[in-house]
Amino acid sequence: MSGKKIEVNVHSKLTVVSDTPVQPGKTYPLSVLDHAMGKHTLHIIFYYRYDRVDKGGSSDLGRLRASLSDVLSYYPPVTGRLMIDEQNGNWVVKCNDAGVRVLKAKVNCTLDEWLTKSGGDERDLTAWDDMPNEDPHIWSPFRIQLNDFEGGGLAIGLSCPHMYADPHCATILTKSWTDIYRRQAISYSPFFHPPGLRGRTTNPNTNTKSAAFYAAKSKYFPMETSTKMSSATFRFSDSMVKKHLSDVQISCPNATAFEFLTALFWSAILHVKSTPCKITIGVDFRKLLEAPLPNGFFGNALHFSSVECNEEDIKKSGSEYLTKIVHEHCLSSHTEEEFWSAIDWFESQKDDAGKFSAPFSMYGPELTSLNLEHMFAYGAALDDKKPLHVSYHVGNLESEGVILVLPSQEEGLGRTVMVTLPEDQIANVCQNEDILRLEPIMLVSGRQF
């Protein structure tokens, strides 16, 4: 790049509304798990080797804008605005067709330079500002930024409050947009039913590990700190993950790629910090319920739990030992009763008027690893162009760091791992010998959202 400063210049803004007006007075209440995610934001960036400029030099959005208007007709809450329910004080979406804010930007480097050489900051590819304390009903919760690279190439950045959608939900929304762009039927129809994850009215159970975990988490108040966080992205090939996972499976036969990679990075992080040997594991439980939720379920369906390790055992067996305890934890903690008990606990925190308790940090305070292996991100194709890369970021972290285990463009066990850590740790993790043995490709990094 010869010292060239990388800039992302937003040059226009517009609002895209749905093709079909919503029924007047329609509202959509956020669920108890949605409210629980209220401290965080979600940012996803889809990279394409694709030039969106229409023939003839037109700078209009063309088919992208038309297909976005079409898909928004299926997602009335996305074009709505947040307001407080006067009866219980909880958040509700007023489905008023106010639209989605769309920004267009130009990046003064090529797509390949951005991903592999520039050190570009992914935050610049998303449109985001915090929800205003006053008059949130005029603020667009969903924001999309279309970033054009020199020489062709497009990055679509999607941002929204995490209490609106979890990574799976936001990915399905984007895939539905690209389905319509390709003039195909939507693969996973949206399913709007917040009561689907409501606490049990008969025999609620708050006497479980999950309930105790969330109760302890709710009492954590982060200290004022100036710690700066940075991110790094590692892409692992199918062959390398298979090779090293097979070695681990000698002692832990049913270990998964997520469990192995979580252990690998947890071990590397433990080598560069002196903090308690704990990690929070996050999982999407839509398909883990006895009566699974459809892929199109709109909202949050994440479950968090904590696992501890023994420092002496780490010294003896390292990531192999950590893989085993993460695997055993997932088997014992990702059960139907633990999921529902967590929801029961959140419901039990409501006041007499039915208002949910104030949200607290869900990603932490310990190091957190979130399993996003199942994402359909690489199915979100534009014409015949599948995404070259997809990044996920969680905003407003109050923790020791986050590990996101994601799918990769390569099918099979190819995986992408994104880590966000304090700046003084990230360089050491990037140079960890155990990680480098898997010969990862290092991609774009950046500062914390």
Side-chain angles (χ1 to χ4, degrees):
M1 291 297 294
S2 63
K4 179 181 178 181
K5 182 180 179 181
I6 302 303
E7 295 181 345
V8 180
N9 298 306
V10 175
H11 55 78
S12 60
K13 302 178 182 180
L14 67 154
T15 299
V16 177
V17 299
S18 64
D19 282 343
T20 306
V22 72
Q23 179 182 352
K26 182 179 179 63
T27 59
Y28 179 79
L30 297 186
S31 74
V32 62
L33 292 187
D34 294 335
H35 280 80
M37 304 304 297
K39 291 185 72 68
H40 301 294
T41 59
L42 181 62
H43 313 263
I44 310 177
I45 301 136
F46 294 77
Y47 292 92
Y48 297 90
R49 200 175 297 283
Y50 183 88
D51 189 353
R52 72 165 186 83
V53 178
D54 295 337
K55 293 181 179 180
S58 172
S59 61
D60 189 74
L61 291 176
R63 282 174 58 200
L64 277 173
R65 180 176 181 174
S67 54
L68 178 58
S69 292
D70 195 347
V71 78
L72 291 176
S73 299
Y74 296 88
Y75 287 86
V78 172
T79 60
R81 296 296 183 261
L82 286 165
M83 59 182 289
I84 295 294
D85 187 320
E86 295 181 355
Q87 293 186 346
N88 56 29
N90 293 324
W91 287 111
V92 63
V93 181
K94 183 179 181 180
C95 302
N96 57 3
D97 292 319
V100 171
R101 187 63 50 83
V102 177
L103 289 76
K104 294 187 284 184
K106 182 69 177 178
V107 187
N108 71 332
C109 71
T110 68
L111 176 58
D112 290 327
E113 287 170 339
W114 175 275
L115 285 174
T116 62
K117 300 176 182 178
S118 72
D121 193 336
E122 289 197 308
R123 184 185 178 102
D124 296 335
L125 300 182
T126 62
W128 184 255
D129 55 89
D130 291 326
M131 182 172 65
N133 294 324
E134 298 179 1
D135 296 328
H137 62 275
I138 63 174
W139 177 74
S140 175
F142 279 81
R143 294 176 179 239
I144 295 170
Q145 184 168 314
L146 302 177
N147 305 275
D148 294 307
F149 291 88
E150 290 184 353
L154 171 69
I156 299 177
L158 172 68
S159 294
C160 67
H162 207 315
M163 65 179 179
Y164 240 106
D166 61 15
H168 178 96
C169 176
T171 300
I172 292 296
L173 169 63
T174 307
K175 188 181 185 312
S176 297
W177 177 13
T178 61
D179 285 343
I180 290 179
Y181 180 85
R182 300 194 310 276
R183 299 182 175 89
Q184 296 182 357
I186 291 177
S187 301
Y188 306 105
S189 298
F191 179 71
F192 300 101
H193 189 57
L197 292 181
R198 180 180 293 167
R200 295 170 289 191
T201 55
T202 57
N203 301 319
N205 178 15
T206 58
N207 187 29
T208 62
K209 292 184 295 183
S210 293
F213 169 71
Y214 284 113
K217 181 190 285 286
S218 69
K219 296 179 174 60
Y220 169 74
F221 296 97
M223 298 175 60
E224 290 294 330
T225 177
S226 58
T227 302
K228 293 182 178 181
M229 307 285 278
S230 292
S231 299
T233 302
F234 305 76
R235 178 179 289 171
F236 298 97
S237 69
D238 169 71
S239 60
M240 276 295 174
V241 175
K242 279 181 178 176
K243 177 179 182 298
H244 290 268
L245 179 59
S246 64
D247 292 339
V248 171
Q249 287 175 335
I250 295 174
S251 58
C252 188
N254 296 314
T256 66
F258 165 74
E259 293 158 357
F260 163 64
L261 290 169
T262 292
L264 181 68
F265 279 86
W266 186 13
S267 176
I269 293 167
L270 287 174
H271 276 91
V272 297
K273 68 174 187 176
S274 56
T275 55
C277 300
K278 293 182 180 180
I279 192 169
T280 293
I281 302 293
V283 63
D284 183 321
F285 63 88
R286 282 173 174 79
K287 296 303 179 183
L288 300 180
L289 296 173
E290 185 175 339
L293 292 169
N295 279 313
F297 176 80
F298 189 87
N300 284 273
L302 295 179
H303 178 81
F304 295 87
S305 54
S306 182
V307 58
E308 299 184 33
C309 62
N310 183 285
E311 190 171 355
E312 291 302 316
D313 288 331
I314 294 176
K315 294 178 180 177
K316 295 177 183 177
S317 304
S319 60
E320 184 176 319
Y321 158 70
L322 293 178
T323 300
K324 185 176 180 180
I325 65 168
V326 171
H327 174 70
E328 292 175 348
H329 170 82
C330 291
L331 287 178
S332 63
S333 298
H334 296 164
T335 65
E336 182 98 4
E337 186 58 29
E338 292 292 337
F339 300 146
W340 286 112
S341 172
I343 298 172
D344 289 342
W345 182 86
F346 280 109
E347 292 275 11
S348 73
Q349 303 304 298
K350 294 188 297 188
D351 64 18
D352 293 339
K355 183 178 180 179
F356 297 122
S357 60
F360 47 86
S361 180
M362 298 294 284
Y363 292 84
E366 302 93 10
L367 178 69
T368 301
S369 183
L370 185 62
N371 186 349
L372 299 178
E373 289 182 307
H374 63 289
M375 294 289 100
F376 300 105
Y378 290 92
L382 295 178
D383 291 332
D384 61 343
K385 304 290 186 181
K386 291 185 178 181
L388 187 67
H389 173 60
V390 184
S391 290
Y392 291 76
H393 294 271
V394 176
N396 301 329
L397 298 178
E398 295 174 348
S399 70
E400 296 175 9
V402 170
I403 304 167
L404 303 179
V405 180
L406 306 157
S408 180
Q409 188 185 47
E410 182 184 10
E411 295 182 358
L413 291 181
R415 294 290 184 271
T416 299
V417 178
M418 299 187 64
V419 292
T420 300
L421 298 169
E423 280 187 341
D424 61 350
Q425 296 179 19
I426 198 75
N428 288 318
V429 171
C430 290
Q431 297 168 9
N432 181 271
E433 292 183 359
D434 290 335
I435 293 175
L436 294 180
R437 273 207 300 268
L438 273 72
E439 301 177 7
I441 296 173
M442 303 293 293
L443 298 176
V444 64
S445 60
R447 67 188 188 276
Q448 179 190 359
F449 282 80

